[in-house]
Amino acid sequence: RAAEEIAEMFGYLDPDNKQFYDENLVRYIYRVNHLSEKISRRASLKYHNKKIVCNNKITDFMQWLGCDIVAEYGKPENMSSAQMLRLSKKIKDTDTKYVIDNLQTGTSIGETLANDLKMQHVVISNFPLDYSYIQTLKDNILKIDKALQ
């Protein structure tokens, strides 16, 4: 969606090159969709029913990959001690082995859970790094692959 808005804005500001921006948008959307389909096919086999706990900003992404979300949490500054204890108990009760953090909202909850409960900890980004959404998506999948083997 952001790419569409950017192409539209450039087309508005530079109408002589609107076709160029529109064509680049189509190529970009094709690349994103192609990668998404490839990830989706692999994920349905690889991550199906993997029990995880994750930050609430990446829950949809992790569900799309086929993971079983046992619990989710928000920002570290909004987490009380009582909430952390309940979360820890739920993880123990469900024998969850993986915690996936969102870089942009902080990693301290995931780090604490991973250390205290001997879980695999993965940090991914829900925002493009190095100016590339496609590369960020690839990097996220590589990190998840490595941890959820």
Side-chain angles (χ1 to χ4, degrees):
R1 184 176 155 194
E4 291 170 354
E5 290 180 20
I6 291 169
E8 185 177 325
M9 179 182 64
F10 282 163
Y12 175 77
L13 295 172
D14 184 14
D16 292 342
N17 289 307
K18 184 177 181 341
Q19 182 177 351
F20 170 77
Y21 303 124
D22 290 344
E23 289 170 358
N24 278 342
L25 174 64
V26 168
R27 281 192 295 276
Y28 178 76
I29 290 172
Y30 172 81
R31 289 178 57 214
V32 169
N33 288 342
H34 179 72
L35 179 59
S36 295
E37 288 171 14
K38 183 177 175 182
I39 290 169
S40 181
R41 281 192 306 273
R42 283 186 50 233
S44 65
L45 301 171
K46 199 165 193 171
Y47 308 126
H48 182 69
N49 291 331
K50 291 276 188 179
K51 293 180 186 175
I52 69 160
V53 59
C54 66
N55 178 273
N56 61 6
K57 298 296 183 190
I58 57 173
T59 301
D60 290 344
F61 178 68
M62 298 309 298
Q63 285 175 327
W64 176 72
L65 290 177
C67 294
D68 179 8
I69 311 299
V70 170
E72 60 184 6
Y73 53 87
K75 292 181 179 181
E77 60 268 22
N78 297 336
M79 183 75 116
S80 70
S81 298
Q83 290 170 315
M84 191 68 165
L85 285 173
R86 283 192 300 274
L87 181 59
S88 294
K89 182 177 179 347
K90 189 167 193 175
I91 290 168
K92 288 178 189 175
D93 290 347
T94 57
D95 196 33
T96 302
K97 304 288 186 212
Y98 310 101
V99 59
I100 315 294
D101 255 331
N102 175 26
L103 177 65
Q104 286 73 25
T105 55
T107 61
S108 61
I109 293 174
E111 289 168 358
T112 300
L113 292 169
N115 289 333
D116 292 352
L117 303 174
K118 308 295 184 247
M119 301 173 73
Q120 285 280 2
H121 182 225
V122 181
V123 179
I124 64 172
S125 177
N126 71 341
F127 191 80
L129 301 175
D130 297 327
Y131 308 107
S132 172
Y133 171 74
I134 291 172
Q135 189 58 51
T136 299
L137 186 56
K138 288 178 182 178
D139 291 346
N140 285 344
I141 293 301
L142 286 174
K143 290 175 185 177
I144 293 167
D145 274 352
K146 186 176 179 181
L148 274 66
Q149 294 182 23

